[in-house]
Amino acid sequence: MHYKFNFSLSNTAAKVISTSLLKARRLQTLDLSCNPLSPSDALKILNTLRKPTVKLLNLHMQNIIVDLNFVQEKEEILQLPYRKNTKVSHGEVLHNYTLSLPDIRPLIMKRMDYLTQKGKKTKLDIALYFLQLRKSVDIVQPRDILRDLKLAGTPVDEDLVNQLTETFPGPVIDKGTKTVKLDGIIEMIRRLWPDKKLPPTPPPEQAPPEQAPTAVVKKGKKGQKKFK
């Protein structure tokens, strides 16, 4: 039996075809060429050939774009002992390229370091600022960073702090308020400036030892000493 589809197929139709192939014991050729199937739909239909109960011998999908997963699956299926006489055709192969995006984390940290160091009168070591902040909290709100840098005399642009928030996101608190997770910033500081460390915390000052009260000696009559 030969069957050819020559109308538009939806995603639902592709699922129906995959299910129907399990029941169509007499169907030997299925021609889906030139139908608007997606690569994932084509792969779904191809996978039905893994089942020995599917008696299909020819699966035509000319002009249907497939991906590398489809090609690999096709090669494995045609190696099965019950698929020696099966033929599968398809259209262009869409290569699965993985695009590597630049890591903007060091760019943001270096930008903040530059802006807080360029002042002639006041400078702030942004690495030490975050290291000190992490000793007391693990997340911080963007507005607190803006406030601290402004009070230190090294204000930065709000957009830069917003970028910092998006790059090192912490949990959302207080009805949608965003936070910055400091652990990610500390990790980046250790990568960029491994020598930056907080000065050692001086030991607490010890109170001077209490001195025992000295005895007051008074001379009594006839040279006798009295202790008070």
Side-chain angles (χ1 to χ4, degrees):
M1 181 182 294
H2 176 97
Y3 201 91
K4 176 177 176 62
F5 284 94
N6 55 6
F7 52 85
S8 297
L9 293 175
S10 64
N11 292 338
T12 304
K15 295 178 182 178
V16 172
I17 292 172
S18 300
T19 304
S20 300
L21 284 175
L22 300 174
K23 303 176 182 179
R25 301 294 179 88
R26 299 178 59 186
L27 182 64
Q28 294 185 344
T29 300
L30 177 62
D31 192 348
L32 299 172
S33 300
C34 300
N35 281 286
L37 289 170
S38 68
S40 60
D41 289 333
L43 181 60
K44 184 184 296 294
I45 295 172
L46 175 69
N47 278 331
T48 60
L49 297 181
R50 282 193 172 275
K51 299 182 181 299
T53 54
V54 175
K55 303 303 180 181
L56 196 67
L57 294 178
N58 303 295
L59 177 59
H60 300 312
M61 290 191 281
Q62 294 293 339
N63 296 319
I64 293 177
I65 296 177
V66 299
D67 56 19
L68 293 179
N69 293 330
F70 182 98
V71 175
Q72 182 179 357
E73 189 74 6
K74 170 190 168 183
E75 292 176 355
E76 293 180 4
I77 288 175
L78 296 183
Q79 294 296 322
L80 297 173
Y82 49 88
R83 291 296 170 204
K84 291 181 178 180
N85 297 323
T86 302
K87 296 181 180 179
V88 178
S89 61
H90 54 80
E92 181 183 354
V93 178
L94 180 66
H95 292 277
N96 303 339
Y97 293 108
T98 301
L99 299 178
S100 58
L101 299 176
D103 189 354
I104 65 171
R105 295 178 300 170
L107 300 179
I108 292 177
M109 295 303 301
K110 288 180 179 179
R111 179 63 178 168
M112 294 193 72
D113 180 63
Y114 168 76
L115 292 176
T116 54
Q117 289 288 328
K118 73 172 186 175
K120 294 182 179 180
K121 295 183 179 180
T122 307
K123 298 180 185 293
L124 173 70
D125 192 319
I126 196 66
L128 297 183
Y129 164 74
F130 282 118
L131 288 171
Q132 183 65 44
L133 188 62
R134 181 60 186 88
K135 293 180 68 175
S136 56
V137 295
D138 57 354
I139 61 173
V140 61
Q141 295 186 34
R143 65 185 182 188
D144 294 334
I145 297 175
L146 288 168
R147 180 203 61 205
D148 292 345
L149 298 185
K150 184 177 181 180
L151 291 175
T154 55
V156 297
D157 189 73
E158 184 176 353
D159 289 340
L160 181 59
V161 176
N162 289 337
Q163 281 186 316
L164 183 78
T165 307
E166 297 297 330
T167 307
F168 301 97
V172 177
I173 60 173
D174 296 339
K175 299 180 180 180
T177 301
K178 295 181 178 181
T179 63
V180 178
K181 190 171 181 61
L182 293 176
D183 286 344
I185 293 180
I186 300 304
E187 178 187 355
M188 187 54 54
I189 288 173
R190 289 171 179 164
R191 284 175 51 185
L192 294 174
W193 307 293
D195 296 333
K196 292 287 183 74
K197 299 182 184 299
L198 290 172
T201 304
E205 294 184 1
Q206 297 182 354
E210 295 184 0
Q211 296 181 354
T214 56
V216 179
V217 180
K218 290 186 177 182
K219 291 184 178 181
K221 294 180 180 181
K222 297 181 180 180
Q224 294 180 350
K225 295 181 179 179
K226 293 184 179 180
F227 292 91
K228 195 173 181 179

